[in-house]
Amino acid sequence: MAKTSNLTRGWTTFGSLANVARRDDCVVVDGGAGMALWLDFPTAGVVRVRLALDGKPLAGASGVVRERTDGLRGAVEERRGRITVRAPGIEVGVRPEDGGLVFRDGEGREFLDEVPGGGHAVSLPRVRLIRPRAPGERVYGLGEKAWSTERSGRAWRLWNTDCHHYHRGTDPLYKSVPFLLLNRPAPGLFAEGRRYYGVFFDNPFAARVDLKSREIWTFEAEGGPLEYHVIAGPAPATVLERYTALVGRMPLPPLWALGYHQSRWSYYPERRVRRLAEDFRERRVPCDAIHLDIDHMDGFRVFTWHKRRFPQPARLVRDLAKMGLRVVTIVDPGVKAERGPIASAGLSKGYFLKDRGGKVVQAKVWPGNAYLPDFTNRHARRWWGDLHAGLVKAGVSGIWIDMNEPAVFAEDRRTLPDDVRHAGAPGRRDHAGNHNLYASLMAEATYRGLLRLRPGVRPFVLSRAGFAGIQRHAAVWTGDNHSSWNDLELAIPMLLGLGLSGLAFAGADVGGFHGTPTAELFTRWVQAAALTPLCRAHTSCETPDQEPWSFGPAAEERVKKAIQLRYRLLPYLYTVFEECSRTGAPIMRPLWWEFPDDPRAPSIDNQFMVGDALLVAPVLKRSAQSRTVYFPEGGWHALDGRTLVVGPITRSVDAPMDRLPVYLRAGRIVPAREPGLHVADTAPETLELHVLAGPEGTAEGRLYEDDGEGLDHRRGQYRRTRLAARLAGGTLVVEAATEGLAASTPEVIRVRLYGVRERPVELEAPVVHEPGRWRAEVAC
Ligand code: MIG
């Protein structure tokens, strides 16, 4: 055990126990000398710990955690001098010698203990928590980090930063998520693999999470409360379910947002946008969204259109809609400091940020000097949301929010001074305490605004910066990467890390933002991104085109094939998205999520699972025509290949330029469809099922369907189908149990059956319907 005494010099440590008592819904562990730890139980399996000084917990928490009404209360028990606070799914032991807290799951198995002498410390305004690490403990989470999914060995900073150029190891980046997902080998005879738990530090101030030591980890914030949630597992899915119950989950996005997005800085004028749309349709490359970057505006004034470049935006948007294409426009927070309508309104209402002297702050951003809204003021949020009326009226479907760290063109600091005033909340009235929340609150303002302006339609918001919980209001992308093989490879663990931190709907700029990819790199990038949650090509200004056909006919064919695969698998992808919206489980998962007992899985950052049925192993190396793939336990069959592989095994697989290696897991059914040119371009009466039976000759799958755009799914307007397939005596039987809407059940199913013959067998069978179920049978 590391000595913590020298680490705590200058700090006051909570390290004694005077008394344990109930106080309303809390259990107060009193250390004497005015220090106490307040425990309460917001939801099953979760305890919140707050350090209180002189009878009051320190203020300044993020405000992200949802109010719970579960009404759970910890029961205090004392037996033979040992104090235990017990609540559903979790218990906390209070160490008699120093008031240290030891955490156990619902079965009483300890998963997190305390350093000797106590790990809670303050040196106001700074706060710190130190906890011991178990041997072999792994640490995931922390949102967006340009690193492997496993975060050990470094100290990480949490401070939203527009980093311009980042590479593997650059830190911090745009988003701050003070959540850790940890796991340790289960000790003892009853070892059932690894045990996961989570810790969420509810503190939005600049912070450091130090994982350099193998013996302890440290969370230290420059202000705000020492307030954290400890979340019991033992399964990673349980931890994420509980964590996202606290900070919120991604609401089910509109189906079109799962399509392919085409962006660049910037498409203009209107003629060019129309040409782009026509290219997609003439070349029959599926696409659902075109993004318009800052040059669509008049002098970078938010909520305006450049009159010459876009003289009739509503007509343009309408014409694109007829082609099945949506428009997403960018909105930055900076409002040009001039006598314009928005600036004047914001000034008169007092919605812009002010300095300590009460003067409205001006920051240099795209429009020149600009005012920045105070999104911590809920009236300002509402006002900002309503400002989207014009864009919504023009028919714009989604809003892309950028520069919301907030970024400022100032070499030294790149953001606002710490002492800028915010409405904030008690304990955080200045920028230091609100900086990391700025983007999340802008996303909330945007999301709610869109929902008010277009009631009953799911908003799509895409944000660069964010804090824990931003997934409730926005998808995210990983900012300004490079057109390099390194950045392609890095994108996989970055997106996995975001998913493991609750930010499941995430993507990296396909093809890379800075610079220009070769045809080969662009092709491999689209392939790798084809099954990532967000799939958007984007590039900087003054770079050549980065469209599917920009790299010659051979690359175009390959890229098209990869995008078509995404559209083919859309029913499955949407089903996985729906699961995520309900449980918080990532869409894109590391192998260990599905195979927690597999000793090889944790080291693999260049493959991923999509849901529980597909394994994706993209080519991430230049000139490679093959790659090694690790197959965990069970059978696997390439969607386009011939052989069944039985894991655990590492194999070299062929990956010529037109191939993305994707494997179907044995025992699973993946629903699919004809690709079409956009998400609504499909024949609903046929359903395609990809089936690979497990050793017992059976397979299972799920399908979630709804109208793809409205909110009626919240009132039961959806259909959930449980699929079960059985192979026996040369016959395949597929049985489906449906729940919810009865409309448009399939007339025929097309089955692609893997693993029975040398090549996958294509079958077609009529469907026999009964109430709440259907069935199809076919000889194979
Ligand atoms: O200062 O809007 O990350 O995606 O194209 C650069 C222009 C501002 C940064 C974003 C990028 C976007 C660009 N923006």
Side-chain angles (χ1 to χ4, degrees), residues 650-701:
T650 300
R651 277 274 194 101
S652 172
V653 306
D654 283 341
M657 276 309 300
D658 66 341
R659 179 158 198 244
L660 166 67
V662 181
Y663 298 88
L664 174 60
R665 183 175 178 181
R668 296 296 192 277
I669 302 175
V670 165
R673 53 172 251 181
E674 283 297 320
L677 291 178
H678 52 89
V679 296
D681 181 25
T682 182
E685 57 283 355
T686 44
L687 175 67
E688 195 177 288
L689 299 179
H690 294 249
V691 181
L692 174 59
E696 288 87 39
T698 59
E700 296 181 344

Side-chain angles (χ1 to χ4, degrees), residues 265 293-294 330 366 400 402-403 409 464 477 479-480 509 513 536 538:
W265 179 9
D293 206 331
I294 49 176
I330 198 167
W366 283 103
W400 164 23
D402 186 23
M403 302 289 283
F409 297 157
R464 185 169 73 176
W477 92 102
D480 299 348
D509 283 354
F513 178 77
R536 185 187 76 147
H538 183 54

Side-chain angles (χ1 to χ4, degrees), residues 229-243:
H229 288 82
V230 176
I231 304 161
T238 309
V239 179
L240 259 278
E241 183 160 15
R242 288 170 170 171
Y243 169 59

Side-chain angles (χ1 to χ4, degrees), residues 715-732:
R715 288 181 293 275
Q717 300 292 300
Y718 60 80
R719 185 168 63 225
R720 238 181 255 292
T721 306
R722 295 197 146 274
L723 298 157
R726 218 169 346 102
L727 255 178
T731 312
L732 173 76

Side-chain angles (χ1 to χ4, degrees), residues 591 595 598-601 604 606-607 615 617 627-633 636 647-651:
L591 266 52
F595 302 91
D598 184 326
R600 288 280 331 266
I604 292 172
N606 59 7
Q607 301 176 206
L615 171 68
R627 64 157 286 170
T628 49
V629 177
Y630 176 64
F631 297 91
E633 184 172 17
W636 301 90
I649 194 170
T650 300
R651 277 274 194 101

